[in-house]
């Protein structure tokens, strides 16, 4: 095994140090970084600990003597041992900050600054682990516990040669990487991505390797290592291995975007290890198309089917322009350069489209949905634009609770949705582009927002869409789309007033949706790496031709009923699940039942607490169902002594049922989730407890049942 390959195996955290939680280590191999050099086999855990102990003692002595040259030499020669030691200290500080530990960190910081003047690694990780709130520390430690178990399983799998387990482990580690990233733990995010790469790399498995995914995973190792300002041996290995993967004909440009000669173009088309895909080659017989587009407002929400959670009759949860008294102003928060809207009277709203101080465009204020057309200017480009808006009544309903949303003298809410499109004829085929993400640009990249009804840390994307042909159903705006059987790269010019279609050539495969349970109205995947910017809807269950590459589940909608009788939810993807599309092959995307609950719980003394906002419905493909409207889950909570089979009598989680709760601080958010549960369980077993959530019949999902969670 080479020195660099050995370092990849060393990233697995199978055996934590006795003095602290795991920091990403297993029995490593002797290597040049450790001062051993030459060819060597795996060293024992004892010898690894001996090396770290020897480093610790040598560095401490050099620090006491203020021998800065020796400190610098040790940090450069034994960077692995230095990083392990720093991380052990930081995680010990996370559990209990003691003066002697802080002194050790400052000792490393002083030497690190001299060895690596441009790196803030030491103080960066120290501040992260020491400054977390107590609940954040508990969450990180809980995640670390599950992560360490997976590391143990990965090391056992590599030792036993049970390669069939590596695919599932790769998906688990992608989930851990994403979770660590969300809570700011970049070190463990990078280690988790390194584990993903090992699961896919053909250096560590004989069958089922996927070097394209390994390439992407090593790229994430590099990204998070650089965010840490830590260009150590793991960073160097990831860079080197990506170069090798490209040379082997995989990675950017290989067998996908960049033409049919795959490996040759990968080596010559993109800088090794940069991850930059070549532009698609132009097929013979097809010509680029560039042309102007014309504006057309869409005043009827039912005229077209578009992938947008808000495009239905539930104006109570549309985006809102909020005003207080006369003269107050509001803007479209989705738009970087929104024209101002002003309340010009008790029942009057107007828009200053050209920002000259004159509010010349009146917004109709009356019952029902009304159209307002205007001209906007973003980036110096003027173009027409439109919204559909309406006001509330004194008998509206919000998550089943009756509320008064009628305009008042002291407050005025104007609900609105997008109503703007641009149209063009391309060789006899009509093309219509909608600005459904409300950024004022026709044909732009999705933007994500943290709405009411989302779990903490979640964000919902808003997408532009396009109709190609005379049909009613749109598809998501995508960098790559077919028109009359030819693939084009689509580009919106001058804020969407012109369209550029450049013929493209690449190998294709197919994606197909398999659903158990309720069928989604929309199920959109997005491309990653070399197919980034590609979006495709799979909801009709037919095979969908797509460029070869790796895709993730991105956005979807699940609905039952019509207009004002609907129950609905947003579907959000999990980065833990990737779909690799190969040339001329079909990859299946599986979602739906059985549905389960994902949730957090903790014990405060003898009180079991389940935060309502942490309760999320998940499907068997790892997808998350959030912003559940008119079908908020009401699970029963049971607990049991860890390792036993019989649970306690279930306790219902309640939901918001009246205005008293709705109008309390945070009440609107609470109405989207079960209310927090606090249950005194009496004597807590020494073995600990496990918790389960079950809802027997939800209006949108049917039965939802979690596993028992410790």
């Amino acid at each position: 095994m080479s020195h660099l390959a050995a370092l990849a195996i060393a990233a697995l955290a199978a055996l934590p140090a006795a003095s602290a939680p795991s920091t990403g280590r297993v029995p490593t191999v002797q290597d040049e970084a450790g001062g051993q050099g030459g060819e060597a086999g795996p060293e024992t855990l004892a010898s690894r600990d001996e090396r770290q102990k020897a480093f610790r003692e040598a560095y401490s002595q050099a620090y006491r003597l203020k021998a800065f040259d020796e400190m610098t030499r040790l940090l450069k020669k034994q960077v692995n041992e230095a990083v392990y030691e720093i991380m052990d200290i930081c995680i010990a500080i996370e559990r209990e900050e003691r003066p002697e530990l802080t002194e050790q960190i400052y000792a490393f910081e002083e030497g690190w600054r001299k060895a690596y003047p441009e790196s803030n690694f030491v103080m960066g990780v120290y501040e992260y682990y020491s400054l977390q709130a107590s609940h954040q520390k508990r969450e990180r430690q809980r995640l670390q516990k599950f992560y360490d178990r997976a590391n143990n399983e990965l090391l056992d799998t590599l030792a036993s040669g049970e390669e069939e387990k590596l695919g599932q482990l790769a998906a688990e580690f992608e989930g851990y990487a994403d979770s660590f990233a969300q809570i700011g733990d970049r070190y463990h995010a990078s280690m988790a991505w390194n584990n993903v790469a090992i699961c896919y790399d053909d250096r560590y498995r004989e069958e089922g390797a996927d070097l394209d995914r390994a390439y992407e995973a090593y790229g994430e190792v590099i990204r998070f290592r650089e965010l840490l300002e830590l260009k150590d041996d793991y960073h160097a290995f990831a860079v080197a291995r990506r170069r090798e993967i490209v040379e082997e004909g995989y990675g950017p440009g290989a067998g996908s975007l960049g033409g049919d000669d795959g490996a040759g173009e990968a080596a010559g088309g993109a800088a090794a290890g940069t991850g930059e895909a070549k532009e698609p080659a132009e097929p013979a017989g097809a010509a680029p198309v560039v042309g102007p587009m014309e504006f057309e407002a869409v005043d009827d929400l039912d005229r077209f089917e578009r992938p947008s959670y808000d495009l239905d009759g539930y104006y109570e949860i549309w985006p809102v322009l909020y005003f207080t008294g006369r003269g107050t102003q509001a803007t479209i928060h989705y738009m970087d350069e929104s024209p101002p809207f002003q309340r010009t009277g008790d029942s009057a709203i107007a828009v200053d489209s050209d920002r000259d101080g004159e509010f010349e465009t009146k917004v109709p204020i009356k019952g029902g949905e009304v159209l307002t057309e205007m001209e906007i200017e973003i980036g110096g480009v003027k173009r027409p634009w439109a919204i559909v808006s309406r006001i509330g009544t004194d008998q509206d309903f919000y998550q089943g609770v009756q509320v008064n949303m009628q305009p008042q003298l002291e407050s005025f809410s104007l609900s609105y949705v997008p109503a703007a499109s641009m149209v063009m004829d391309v060789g006899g085929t009509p093309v219509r582009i909608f600005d459904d993400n409300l950024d004022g640009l026709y044909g732009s990249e999705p933007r994500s927002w943290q709405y009411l009804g989302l779990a903490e840390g979640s964000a919902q994307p808003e997408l532009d869409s396009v109709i190609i042909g005379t049909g009613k159903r749109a598809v998501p705006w995508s960098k790559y789309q077919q028109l009359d059987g030819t693939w084009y790269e689509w580009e919106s010019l001058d804020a969407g007033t012109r369209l550029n279609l450049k013929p493209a050539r690449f190998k294709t495969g197919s994606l197909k949706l398999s659903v158990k349970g309720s069928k989604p109205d929309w199920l959109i995947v997005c491309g990653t790496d070399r197919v980034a910017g590609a979006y495709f809807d799979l909801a009709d269950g037919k095979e969908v031709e797509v460029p070869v590459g790796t895709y993730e589940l991105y956005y979807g909608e699940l609905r039952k009923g019509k207009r004002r009788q609907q129950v609905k939810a947003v579907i959000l993807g999990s980065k833990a699940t990737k779909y690799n599309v190969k040339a001329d092959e079909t990859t299946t995307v599986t979602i739906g039942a059985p549905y389960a609950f994902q949730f957090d719980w903790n014990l405060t003394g003898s009180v079991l607490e389940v935060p309502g906002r942490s309760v999320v419905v998940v499907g068997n493909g790892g997808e998350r169902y959030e912003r559940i409207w008119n079908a908020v889950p009401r699970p029963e909570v049971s607990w049991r002594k860890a390792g036993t089979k019989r649970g306690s009598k279930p306790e219902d989680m309640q939901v918001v049922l009246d205005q008293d709760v709705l109008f309390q601080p945070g009440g609107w958010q609470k109405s989207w989730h079960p209310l927090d549960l606090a249950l005194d369980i009496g004597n807590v077993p020494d073995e600990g407890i496990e918790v389960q959530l079950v809802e027997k019949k939800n209006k949108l999902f049917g039965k939802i049942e979690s596993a028992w969670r410790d």
Side-chain angles (χ1 to χ4, degrees):
M1 184 182 294
S2 72
H3 162 56
L4 289 177
L7 283 173
I9 290 289
L12 303 178
L15 296 172
S19 60
S22 168
T23 57
R25 302 176 293 158
V26 290
T28 61
V29 298
Q30 298 169 332
D31 53 55
E32 295 169 350
Q36 303 299 317
E39 289 293 326
E43 67 174 344
T44 65
L45 175 62
S47 64
R48 184 208 64 196
D49 284 348
E50 287 171 3
R51 288 173 59 183
Q52 187 171 344
K53 180 181 178 182
F55 166 80
R56 182 189 308 127
E57 292 174 350
Y59 190 85
S60 297
Q61 181 179 4
Y63 178 71
R64 286 194 299 271
L65 298 174
K66 298 300 180 185
F68 294 116
D69 289 345
E70 176 64 7
M71 290 162 60
T72 299
R73 187 190 71 82
L74 288 168
L75 288 171
K76 288 185 174 181
K77 186 174 179 61
Q78 294 181 265
V79 63
N80 289 343
E81 282 69 27
V83 171
Y84 296 152
E85 188 70 11
I86 291 164
M87 293 303 302
D88 277 351
I89 295 168
C90 286
I91 292 180
I93 287 172
E94 178 187 49
R95 293 178 176 268
E96 181 184 5
E97 187 158 5
R98 304 194 304 272
E100 62 271 23
L101 295 174
T102 305
E103 182 180 351
Q104 291 175 38
I105 281 294
Y106 281 104
F108 275 107
E109 163 68 6
E110 190 169 354
W112 193 272
R113 284 292 186 184
K114 296 182 183 298
Y116 306 101
E118 303 301 320
S119 171
N120 191 44
F121 167 69
V122 177
M123 292 310 295
V125 292
Y126 166 67
E127 289 173 358
Y128 170 73
Y129 287 101
S130 63
L131 297 180
Q132 297 177 91
S134 58
H135 71 280
Q136 293 172 318
K137 292 180 180 180
R138 288 195 301 270
E139 172 61 20
R140 203 209 68 79
Q141 291 163 9
R142 186 182 67 84
L143 180 61
Q144 178 85 52
K145 179 175 69 173
F146 292 110
Y147 170 73
D148 286 344
R149 289 180 188 174
N151 280 324
N152 283 324
E153 185 177 356
L154 179 53
L155 188 65
D156 291 343
T157 300
L158 290 172
S160 66
E162 298 177 272
E163 295 183 356
E164 66 276 6
K165 294 182 178 180
L166 291 176
Q168 179 59 38
L169 284 169
E172 287 186 35
F173 282 116
E174 287 192 40
Y176 289 129
D178 187 49
S179 296
F180 279 126
Q182 287 184 15
I183 63 176
D185 189 344
R186 294 168 173 173
Y187 180 84
H188 285 94
S190 72
M191 288 302 195
W193 277 115
N194 205 84
N195 293 355
V196 174
I198 289 171
C199 288
Y200 288 128
D201 199 334
D202 64 3
R203 290 192 173 197
Y204 314 113
R205 61 189 302 172
E206 295 181 359
E207 302 291 337
D210 190 331
L211 290 183
D212 286 326
R213 291 193 182 186
Y215 179 90
E216 293 177 1
Y218 283 126
E220 292 298 295
V221 176
I222 294 168
R223 182 168 73 90
F224 280 101
R225 228 60 182 180
E226 291 180 353
L227 288 171
L228 287 164
E229 300 182 27
L230 180 61
K231 292 188 177 181
D232 60 352
D233 289 332
Y234 295 114
H235 179 276
F237 173 74
V239 171
R241 184 64 185 127
R242 275 165 63 96
R243 290 197 187 101
E244 292 174 352
I245 288 171
V246 171
E247 290 169 0
E248 293 172 23
Y250 298 90
S256 177
L257 303 185
D260 293 329
D261 48 349
E265 291 198 351
T274 64
E276 296 176 4
K278 290 188 64 178
E279 291 297 314
E282 187 173 305
V289 177
V290 181
M293 305 195 76
E294 296 182 357
F295 174 75
E296 184 176 307
V298 182
D299 61 350
D300 182 356
L301 299 187
D302 295 323
R303 181 180 172 189
F304 302 108
E305 298 174 19
R306 293 135 66 190
S308 172
Y309 182 80
D310 294 322
L311 290 176
D312 54 31
Y314 285 119
Y315 57 84
E316 295 94 334
I317 52 174
W318 289 0
V320 169
L321 292 167
Y322 180 73
F323 308 88
T324 52
R326 291 190 183 191
T328 57
Q329 296 184 8
T331 57
I332 305 287
H333 79 268
Y334 301 90
M335 196 180 296
D336 291 337
E337 300 178 50
S338 167
F341 290 69
Q342 181 170 288
R343 185 177 185 182
T344 55
D346 291 346
S347 299
I349 305 293
V351 191
D352 180 10
S353 298
D354 54 9
R355 299 189 187 90
D356 64 354
E358 299 293 329
F359 290 83
E360 67 284 348
T361 303
K362 309 301 181 185
V363 178
I365 304 298
K366 57 184 180 180
E369 298 161 3
V370 294
L371 177 72
T372 302
E373 297 186 35
M374 65 195 79
E375 186 176 65
I376 61 174
E377 180 177 348
I378 298 178
V381 179
K382 293 182 179 181
R383 65 274 197 194
W385 197 69
I387 58 172
V388 163
S389 63
R390 70 157 295 161
I391 56 174
T393 74
D394 61 354
Q395 294 185 1
D396 288 323
F397 285 86
Y398 194 95
Q399 291 288 29
V401 178
Q402 185 170 332
V403 292
N404 181 1
M405 304 186 78
Q406 194 172 47
Q408 309 292 323
L409 289 176
E410 67 278 7
S411 64
F412 192 119
S413 295
L414 182 70
S415 301
Y416 66 94
V417 286
S421 72
M422 285 284 187
V423 296
M424 175 181 174
D425 185 275
V426 181
T429 300
V431 172
R432 180 187 300 271
I433 302 173
F434 300 90
D435 176 27
D436 285 340
N437 66 10
L438 288 164
D439 65 355
L441 310 173
Y442 300 91
S444 62
E445 278 290 302
R447 302 179 72 176
S448 295
W449 305 90
Q450 294 181 326
Y451 291 112
L452 291 177
L454 294 173
E456 191 169 355
S458 289
Q460 174 190 322
E462 300 285 358
L463 305 89
D464 282 354
S465 62
V466 56
I467 291 179
I468 304 170
T470 58
K472 179 179 179 180
R473 186 175 174 89
V475 295
W477 171 262
S478 176
K479 183 176 182 180
Y480 303 111
Q481 300 260 28
Q482 290 192 71
L483 189 150
D484 295 333
T486 299
W487 282 98
Y488 291 87
E489 179 181 351
W490 292 57
E491 183 182 14
S492 172
L493 303 176
D494 296 334
T497 57
R498 294 194 303 133
L499 179 64
N500 179 28
L501 302 182
K502 178 182 177 183
R505 184 184 66 195
F506 36 71
K507 293 180 180 179
T508 63
S510 296
L511 285 166
K512 183 178 181 179
L513 179 63
S514 174
V515 183
K516 296 179 181 179
S518 300
K519 183 178 180 294
D521 289 68
W522 299 92
L523 202 287
I524 295 169
V525 296
C526 68
T528 67
D529 201 13
R530 63 180 178 272
V531 286
Y535 299 86
F536 299 98
D537 177 36
L538 312 181
D540 69 359
K542 299 177 182 178
E543 290 189 7
V544 178
E545 185 181 2
V546 300
V548 165
T550 301
Y551 294 82
E552 298 174 352
L553 198 159
Y554 186 64
Y555 172 83
E557 297 169 23
L558 179 63
R559 298 172 182 264
K560 288 185 178 180
K562 299 292 184 181
R563 294 284 285 184
R564 297 284 296 177
Q565 285 73 48
Q566 275 192 0
V567 293
K568 62 178 180 176
V570 162
I571 305 173
L572 300 177
S574 167
K575 290 185 178 295
T577 305
K578 308 281 186 181
Y579 303 98
N580 191 30
V581 177
K582 298 180 180 180
D584 303 320
E585 295 184 10
T586 298
T587 299
T588 300
V589 177
T590 301
I591 67 164
Y595 300 105
F597 284 117
Q598 183 181 88
F599 62 96
D600 294 334
W601 68 268
N602 58 73
L603 275 175
T604 302
S606 63
V607 177
L608 168 63
E609 299 170 336
V610 181
R613 193 177 176 187
S614 74
V615 177
V616 177
V617 179
V618 295
N620 70 353
E623 75 278 12
R624 298 162 61 90
Y625 297 85
E626 303 199 34
R627 299 195 77 196
I628 298 172
W629 179 253
N630 283 343
V632 176
R634 302 182 66 173
E636 299 176 337
V637 180
S638 302
W639 67 274
R640 70 185 184 188
K641 183 170 71 173
T644 62
K645 293 186 177 180
R646 185 175 180 179
S648 66
K649 180 181 178 181
E651 184 81 13
D652 290 337
M653 296 187 77
Q654 302 300 317
V655 297
V656 173
L657 296 174
D658 56 61
Q659 290 188 16
D660 291 343
V661 178
L662 196 62
F663 287 99
Q664 291 175 4
W668 298 98
Q669 178 69 271
K670 290 177 182 178
S671 70
W672 290 84
H673 311 275
L675 293 173
D676 296 348
L677 175 72
L679 176 63
D680 193 332
I681 67 172
N683 295 326
V684 179
D686 294 338
E687 297 86 349
I689 68 170
E690 299 170 333
V691 181
Q692 183 186 45
L693 271 60
V694 177
E695 185 173 14
K696 295 178 181 177
K697 191 173 182 180
N698 181 275
K699 288 191 290 185
L700 193 53
F701 304 101
K703 186 176 182 179
I704 312 170
E705 181 176 4
S706 79
W708 287 94
R709 293 191 54 187
D710 59 10

